Amino acid sequence: ARIEAPRSFAARRRAGVMRAPWLSTAALANSALFADCASFGSSIFRSAEGVLNGALQPELANQEETYGAGVLVGRRGRPENTSAREVRDRGPLKCGVSHVAHSGTDKWEKCPSECPLMAVHEGNGVHCDFRCVEATTEACNAMNPREPVPDIEEGICRACIVEGCKECATGGTDTCKTCNPGYSLSGGKCHSDFFYVWIAAGLGVAVVLAVVIAWFVDLARRPITNAGALAHALLLRSRGKLRKPKEGDGGRELWPLTTNLTREDVAGPGMALNFNFQVAIVVWALVMGISWLLLAHMVDREFLTLGLRRATNARQNCVVVAFGYETQHRLFMAKTCFLVFAYVFSFVFFIALGVRHLRLFQKMDETCLTYKDFTALLTGLPLVQGKERLEDELKEVVTSKTGHAVVGVSVCWDFGDVEDDIMESLEDDLVQRRADPDTDVDQGAPQEGDEVKAREQCWAFQMVEDKVFGSAKKDILSRVDDCVASPRGPPGSTPRGTPRDSEEPAQHVKQMLDEMWSTGQAFVVFQTEKARNEAVNTIRAAGGFSFRGEMVQMEEADHEPASVQWKNVVPSSWLWLFKRTLGGIGTIFMALATWVFAFYAPYAYYVMSFNYAYGAEPGIVSGLAFTMIVVIGNAMMYFVCGEVADRMRFMYNDDREVYYMLAYSFACICNVVLDMVVTFYMAYRMMVGMDMATYQGTPLAEVTSFQMIFESYAMQRSLGQNLFAYAFPSTFLVPFLIEPFATIYLPYKLMSFLVRSHKNISRHDAEGLMMPAVMDLSRYADLLLNVMLAALIFFFPGGFTHRIFLWLAVSHIIIYAIDHYKVLRCIPACYFASDSVDWWAQWLLSIPCAIIISATVFKANCQRGADSDICFRGLPFLAMIIAVFCAHIALHTVVLLFVVPLFKRKELPQSTIPYKEVAAKFPCSWFSSNPVHCLRSKHIYRHSPPCGFLFVGKEHCLRSNPELGCYFEDAGSKGEDYTTGVMDQLKSCTAGVSLANLKSWAGGSQDSIDDKEAEPKAEP
């Protein structure tokens, strides 16, 4: 450890202090910058040292009288006639002689055997003054009455270690005299007043877990009595996944696992941008981590260890704190230069990312024709009742006004109040048309001995499940119940094709449609993209067109039909939207408040009442409780934000994802802030319990300024350790490793066990149970939270910097792999056509940049001494940090809004590819995705065949009718082999069909399956 001021970069190289034989020519050329930084830092260090020693001369004189001239007197400085060499060569420890620990002290040095205990000499006004004393209670008491316990094993005199103790007894044992509030004293120990409450809560959790595990095991052991429904549901689960566009007549194939999701349009440009965002975060983290390693190699290796040195007692802490403080000041200029580089690089990198994503989105949008390229959105339409043929009328008017033929018109209807009736009618219609051959799958008969085995199962579980899946099931499992069961289904089921309710015949559906009102919006589909653009330009130039007394406007559609939430397209006003926005924000705040007061407050009370004397900290139970609080908080906010986003009733799913991502990010940031507050308080109490002090010797317990406490090296080191532990693996990796099991695998296995062991579950019920959870873009919020946590490390010692960034990169590589497999094999079909979520995520990247520039200001403050011009304390310093933070947010926003769009691609010539070629490849059109449009096609217009509604996984049920703009028709897609594991799929990068095991369970044969489903197993 060096006490003298650092030499220049070149001098350090000549002296052999720093060797970089592998540095490239470019790196050597850039080393001049680090030389200047180091040289400037040297001058600053000498100035600060001179100011510090000058201010302490009177105190140093008093200490010389006590300890002798020429002796280092601790961390406050050293007499002018004492060199660093003399400090390091003080000699061995002696009994009864004061030894003031400093940065050059050997922290592992032991006391002589005749006086084996190291005791703090309190009362002489000198911090970090230690003496070797005998291993007796009297000797320890004489040095420091607050540390009367002789600990032979540790070789120190220490305070009693009793949880909840406020004041220790003086008998030299681990006994307490006074307990903290919430604890009761008994036998010298403090016992929690809430001990039995914690025991009861723990037993309750254990009982619930035991019941869940027992139920799961019971389900797994049950006989298979409903294999046909399971086979049907698994086939629909597989068919509902993301698949390639139609090519030929063999059904659409799954995307291979080797698909590059950063380039391929698998689930829309929005999904591709999400994966590009993940790659960018990995690259950014690698650059930051590797740059820090280069800095350490070229300047000082202490950048890699600062803050990581271990200390197990008070003397070692004094040595570590002194060394860390001096090293931080010696290297502050180099770190400040690096922070400037990190800020500039991050800012430029994130802006370049915005430019790249803009151009990539435009490229994908231009090179891949989709439904929105043929479609225009009409707004300002009058509200019309459903009994009128609005579609045909609009088609004729638009054709006459624009001069271009219209394929069809899809009107938005207000059907939110009757959504269940609409969907049930569509499902009944699908069954009645016998368009779903999957319902012919044999339900299977119970195997021999099944009834005996069933009686051997747990009667309690069986009774509860019978209530749910038996007579009281109704619509709990699915919108479709016994009406869709096969004639060969279980006893008591309604034959297929029978209406659900006698009050819901075709006349009832028609009446419901007649009484429905339009919403003032409609989508018009043209023959080509060129025709669409010309039509829009014509109407725009004319200022709109008149329709039934209203001025109607036309603009290009910027969303795909799969993104439209048809039930949410309702007439609304700004006041309505404002009220819903306030309600959503209020709901999120109420959820946060509930979480804080119900979960966080009890834990915070426990943390505040804990005794942190001599470094004691809460045990493993407390750590697990804190982890569960964080997990519960994140999970609760995940569901609350999702529910709030749904209740906002956005017209487009992309807008819903934007609101959800922003709300979830805000909630997670609030969560992290609370975690950091608790962590800071715990670290502070621990440092006070260990009698830690500032470098100038002021005990932390006597420091009243938050800034001074935060800047003290003891707190910096502790907070850095806690931040790194909080980030990795707790936040960076563990939740993402748990997520696939908690949200995909376990629900899949649980539902499989339920379906196969319950004869009362129909095939359509099984469909709902086996369908995987829908995909959202909340991953952006997770990535941004990790980036913000990594950026916070710049406030703390450098030993954690390269570690947190490199582990961030490794964690996100694993997250990318998990999401890659999840998208290609685990989620139902979805489509994200807009780049709006990605734009807001890029805007949120301004926060990490703002954190870095704030850390730069924080680290540069007062480094030339308290009397320098660049030294702010208290509120002015806080105001400066906030001003810098907000200034970058504003700068980042302006660049994204006005600079990034300047780099967009040039527009390509308009495509003349006809609509029917695109419509023949993709099943989800503006017509097949609109539920009311499909019912009107059958009940109002009497089309034959009518426009079919698209059910996910049943794309093969759609029928072509060119007159209606419906061109998609396909055979049933091949299913997957659910008997193979993930590794087998990764090896073969393909998925086949193998339901033979399910057919053997059911006792059925291939003859019991409709021809459209009888597919051979695909070879690897």
Side-chain angles (χ1 to χ4, degrees):
R2 297 180 179 274
I3 300 302
E4 66 272 27
R7 289 171 286 181
S8 67
F9 176 83
R12 289 169 56 78
R13 287 290 305 274
R14 288 194 298 270
V17 176
M18 184 186 66
R19 296 177 298 276
W22 50 269
L23 284 178
S24 64
T25 305
L28 291 175
N30 293 331
S31 65
L33 172 63
F34 292 94
D36 294 339
C37 291
S39 178
F40 185 47
S42 175
S43 62
I44 296 300
F45 180 85
R46 291 193 182 96
S47 300
E49 184 182 39
V51 172
L52 184 62
N53 286 336
L56 296 176
Q57 284 303 319
E59 185 173 312
L60 296 179
N62 295 333
Q63 292 174 348
E64 287 181 5
E65 295 178 2
T66 305
Y67 296 97
V71 179
L72 186 67
V73 294
R75 298 174 300 171
R76 306 185 186 186
R78 63 171 184 268
E80 294 182 357
N81 61 339
T82 303
S83 66
R85 182 67 180 173
E86 292 173 326
V87 167
R88 291 193 289 270
D89 295 339
R90 281 197 58 186
L93 297 172
K94 298 179 181 179
C95 294
V97 178
S98 292
H99 297 268
V100 178
H102 51 82
S103 60
T105 301
D106 180 8
K107 66 178 182 178
W108 302 110
E109 187 177 8
K110 300 293 185 181
C111 287
S113 58
E114 57 271 18
C115 49
L117 301 186
M118 184 74 67
V120 178
H121 187 193
E122 192 176 76
N124 60 349
V126 179
H127 190 65
C128 287
D129 180 14
F130 297 89
R131 294 188 182 184
C132 294
V133 299
E134 299 177 355
T136 63
T137 303
E138 292 75 13
C140 291
N141 261 318
M143 290 292 100
N144 186 359
R146 295 188 299 109
E147 298 180 352
V149 181
D151 193 327
I152 305 298
E153 183 177 350
E154 295 293 333
I156 58 174
C157 293
R158 60 170 175 81
C160 67
I161 301 178
V162 179
E163 181 178 351
C165 185
K166 183 178 182 180
E167 182 181 356
C168 296
T170 58
T173 59
D174 288 324
T175 56
C176 184
K177 180 180 179 181
T178 307
C179 295
N180 282 317
Y183 290 86
S184 300
L185 183 64
S186 176
K189 304 295 180 182
C190 295
H191 303 280
S192 175
D193 296 337
F194 304 100
F195 176 77
Y196 293 106
V197 176
W198 289 109
I199 292 296
L203 288 176
V205 173
V207 169
V208 172
L209 288 177
V211 171
V212 171
I213 294 174
W215 180 46
F216 199 87
V217 172
D218 181 69
L219 284 173
R221 295 178 62 249
R222 292 182 187 178
I224 299 169
T225 60
N226 197 13
L230 180 59
H232 166 79
L234 289 177
L235 180 60
L236 266 293
R237 178 187 176 98
S238 178
R239 286 178 172 175
K241 295 178 182 178
L242 289 168
R243 293 179 175 268
K244 293 182 177 180
K246 179 185 175 182
E247 296 178 358
D249 299 326
R252 297 184 304 142
E253 298 292 335
L254 287 168
W255 289 92
L257 289 175
T258 54
T259 302
N260 184 359
L261 294 179
T262 64
R263 291 290 183 180
E264 294 287 348
D265 187 3
V266 173
M271 184 65 72
L273 293 179
N274 177 272
F275 280 93
N276 277 275
F277 192 88
Q278 295 196 39
V279 173
I281 296 304
V282 172
V283 172
W284 176 77
L286 286 174
V287 171
M288 299 295 281
I290 294 174
S291 299
W292 187 262
L293 291 175
L294 290 174
L295 173 72
H297 187 84
M298 296 190 325
V299 179
D300 199 309
R301 299 294 176 88
E302 292 297 341
F303 275 120
L304 304 181
T305 60
L306 199 60
L308 302 178
R309 297 178 182 271
R310 295 187 301 112
T312 59
N313 55 52
R315 183 170 179 269
Q316 292 179 2
N317 274 316
C318 285
V319 175
V320 169
V321 169
F323 173 79
Y325 179 87
E326 293 171 1
T327 305
Q328 275 200 142
H329 275 257
R330 177 168 58 86
L331 300 175
F332 97 91
M333 182 54 69
K335 181 169 184 178
T336 302
C337 291
F338 179 84
L339 287 177
V340 172
F341 157 76
Y343 168 70
V344 173
F345 167 75
S346 299
F347 183 33
V348 174
F349 181 80
F350 292 151
I351 294 301
L353 176 66
V355 173
R356 182 179 183 277
H357 279 201
L358 173 63
R359 295 175 63 85
L360 178 61
F361 177 79
Q362 290 179 317
K363 181 180 179 180
M364 295 184 70
D365 184 54
E366 293 169 352
T367 57
C368 182
L369 276 179
T370 55
Y371 283 110
K372 74 181 181 68
D373 297 314
F374 301 89
T375 309
L377 173 63
L378 296 180
T379 57
L381 291 169
L383 303 185
V384 179
Q385 207 164 17
K387 61 184 178 182
E388 302 186 41
R389 298 198 170 197
L390 181 59
E391 292 86 354
D392 285 350
E393 187 177 354
L394 281 173
K395 183 176 180 180
E396 294 177 2
V397 172
V398 172
T399 301
S400 64
K401 294 292 184 181
T402 62
H404 292 281
V406 173
V407 175
V409 178
S410 182
V411 178
C412 302
W413 299 91
D414 185 3
F415 67 97
D417 294 337
V418 292
E419 179 190 3
D420 291 341
D421 293 335
I422 293 292
M423 299 308 298
E424 289 170 2
S425 299
L426 290 169
E427 290 164 342
D428 290 347
D429 177 67
L430 179 67
V431 174
Q432 291 172 1
R433 289 189 291 112
R434 303 183 65 85
D436 185 9
D438 301 334
T439 55
D440 290 334
V441 178
D442 192 354
Q443 288 277 29
Q447 298 177 355
E448 184 178 354
D450 279 350
E451 295 182 359
V452 177
K453 293 179 182 178
R455 285 195 297 268
E456 296 174 356
Q457 308 309 312
C458 177
W459 64 269
F461 295 146
Q462 197 75 40
M463 179 180 65
V464 174
E465 292 166 15
D466 288 342
K467 289 290 186 181
V468 176
F469 303 114
S471 59
K473 73 176 182 176
K474 294 182 181 179
D475 289 337
I476 295 179
L477 302 175
S478 172
R479 293 192 181 97
V480 184
D481 53 11
D482 295 343
C483 75
V484 297
S486 169
R488 292 174 290 182
S493 62
T494 306
R496 189 186 64 181
T498 303
R500 174 187 309 274
D501 194 303
S502 59
E503 296 181 1
E504 195 177 73
Q507 292 82 359
H508 175 71
V509 176
K510 186 177 183 305
Q511 180 182 359
M512 181 173 58
L513 295 173
D514 289 341
E515 296 174 354
M516 197 174 296
W517 287 85
S518 64
T519 63
Q521 300 184 64
F523 295 93
V524 181
V525 182
F526 292 88
Q527 295 287 355
T528 63
E529 180 184 17
K530 183 179 180 180
R532 189 279 307 266
N533 293 342
E534 292 178 354
V536 171
N537 292 334
T538 300
I539 299 300
R540 187 177 294 162
F545 65 91
S546 177
F547 179 77
R548 292 194 177 190
E550 298 289 343
M551 186 58 66
V552 180
Q553 303 297 327
M554 178 185 290
E555 59 187 22
E556 296 91 344
D558 55 359
H559 292 81
E560 294 293 335
S563 300
V564 179
Q565 301 290 327
W566 297 95
K567 64 180 179 180
N568 294 339
V569 185
V570 296
S572 59
S573 63
W574 286 105
L575 180 60
W576 179 88
L577 182 60
F578 179 73
K579 288 181 178 179
R580 284 199 170 268
T581 302
L582 282 184
I585 295 174
T587 302
I588 293 174
F589 271 108
M590 287 181 61
L592 280 172
T594 301
W595 172 61
V596 168
F597 291 106
F599 298 98
Y600 227 100
Y603 180 80
Y605 174 80
Y606 170 75
V607 168
M608 293 178 182
S609 62
F610 189 83
N611 180 21
Y612 295 91
Y614 215 77
E617 55 184 301
I620 186 173
V621 176
S622 176
L624 290 175
F626 182 72
T627 301
M628 290 304 299
I629 288 172
V630 174
V631 171
I632 291 174
N634 287 338
M636 184 171 69
M637 297 315 303
Y638 178 87
F639 289 109
V640 169
C641 293
E643 184 65 22
V644 170
D646 291 334
R647 291 181 178 274
M648 288 296 296
R649 301 190 66 178
F650 289 104
M651 178 177 176
Y652 300 110
N653 189 51
D654 299 278
D655 296 335
R656 183 260 182 200
E657 292 298 324
V658 169
Y659 183 91
Y660 172 64
M661 189 270 292
L662 292 175
Y664 183 55
S665 299
F666 169 77
C668 288
I669 291 174
C670 291
N671 187 1
V672 170
V673 169
L674 287 174
D675 295 340
M676 293 298 102
V677 169
V678 172
T679 300
F680 175 86
Y681 185 79
M682 289 180 60
Y684 174 72
R685 291 291 301 272
M686 288 177 62
M687 295 302 101
V688 170
M690 297 171 68
D691 286 333
M692 299 299 289
T694 64
Y695 182 79
Q696 288 73 24
T698 305
L700 282 181
E702 300 177 8
V703 179
T704 58
S705 169
F706 171 81
Q707 181 181 349
M708 297 296 293
I709 295 174
F710 188 80
E711 289 178 349
S712 64
Y713 182 78
M715 286 294 294
Q716 287 271 299
R717 172 170 163 264
S718 179
L719 290 173
Q721 292 174 344
N722 281 281
L723 177 62
F724 180 78
Y726 181 88
F728 181 83
S730 301
T731 305
F732 286 178
L733 187 59
V734 172
F736 305 99
L737 295 178
I738 296 175
E739 179 184 299
F741 294 95
T743 62
I744 299 174
Y745 182 75
L746 289 180
Y748 162 72
K749 297 300 292 184
L750 178 61
M751 294 300 106
S752 298
F753 292 155
L754 281 171
V755 171
R756 76 182 192 182
S757 61
H758 281 273
K759 296 183 294 183
N760 291 332
I761 297 180
S762 67
R763 284 173 298 279
H764 282 268
D765 291 338
E767 290 175 22
L769 290 172
M770 295 303 302
M771 189 60 65
V774 296
M775 181 69 175
D776 57 46
L777 296 181
S778 61
R779 182 66 77 229
Y780 276 110
D782 298 325
L783 302 177
L784 290 165
L785 177 64
N786 290 349
V787 172
M788 294 175 196
L789 286 175
L792 285 172
I793 204 65
F794 287 122
F795 283 93
F796 308 112
F800 308 100
T801 303
H802 67 290
R803 296 168 181 261
I804 200 169
F805 280 108
L806 294 180
W807 279 120
L808 175 67
V810 172
S811 300
H812 280 238
I813 291 173
I814 297 174
I815 294 170
Y816 182 96
I818 293 174
D819 285 351
H820 180 91
Y821 185 85
K822 176 182 177 181
V823 167
L824 294 177
R825 290 294 181 269
C826 300
I827 65 170
C830 58
Y831 201 89
F832 299 99
S834 172
D835 64 341
S836 54
V837 180
D838 185 79
W839 190 93
W840 282 102
Q842 292 177 35
W843 179 77
L844 286 175
L845 283 175
S846 61
I847 297 179
C849 291
I851 290 174
I852 295 174
I853 191 61
S854 299
T856 305
V857 174
F858 172 79
K859 287 297 182 181
N861 185 54
C862 297
Q863 291 297 329
R864 300 192 182 190
D867 298 330
S868 66
D869 295 334
I870 309 177
C871 187
F872 297 88
R873 295 293 183 188
L875 290 179
F877 180 63
L878 178 62
M880 182 175 63
I881 292 290
I882 296 176
V884 170
F885 186 94
C886 295
H888 175 79
I889 299 293
L891 173 64
H892 207 111
T893 304
V894 170
V895 174
L896 282 178
L897 287 174
F898 301 105
V899 178
V900 171
L902 299 177
F903 296 90
K904 64 182 181 180
R905 290 165 54 94
K906 295 182 179 179
E907 295 184 2
L908 295 178
Q910 299 173 0
S911 172
T912 57
I913 297 176
Y915 168 82
K916 63 180 181 180
E917 292 188 15
V918 175
K921 295 181 179 180
F922 303 99
C924 186
S925 70
W926 294 104
F927 311 119
S928 63
S929 63
N930 187 340
V932 177
H933 182 89
C934 296
L935 286 179
R936 287 175 62 82
S937 175
K938 177 182 179 181
H939 296 280
I940 303 296
Y941 290 93
R942 304 289 182 178
H943 293 142
S944 181
C947 177
F949 182 74
L950 175 62
F951 289 96
V952 176
K954 297 185 179 182
E955 293 83 357
H956 58 284
C957 299
L958 297 176
R959 294 296 177 259
S960 175
N961 189 341
E963 295 181 358
L964 307 180
C966 301
Y967 293 90
F968 184 87
E969 187 169 358
D970 195 17
S973 302
K974 295 180 180 180
E976 297 171 89
D977 184 0
Y978 284 92
T979 62
T980 61
V982 174
M983 296 308 299
D984 295 330
Q985 297 184 41
L986 293 175
K987 291 177 181 178
S988 63
C989 290
T990 186
V993 178
S994 178
L995 300 176
N997 56 325
L998 297 176
K999 305 303 180 292
S1000 63
W1001 294 341
S1005 64
Q1006 204 70 11
D1007 297 334
S1008 64
I1009 309 175
D1010 190 275
D1011 291 339
K1012 294 186 74 174
E1013 250 188 279
E1015 301 159 350
K1017 179 178 179 180
E1019 293 296 329

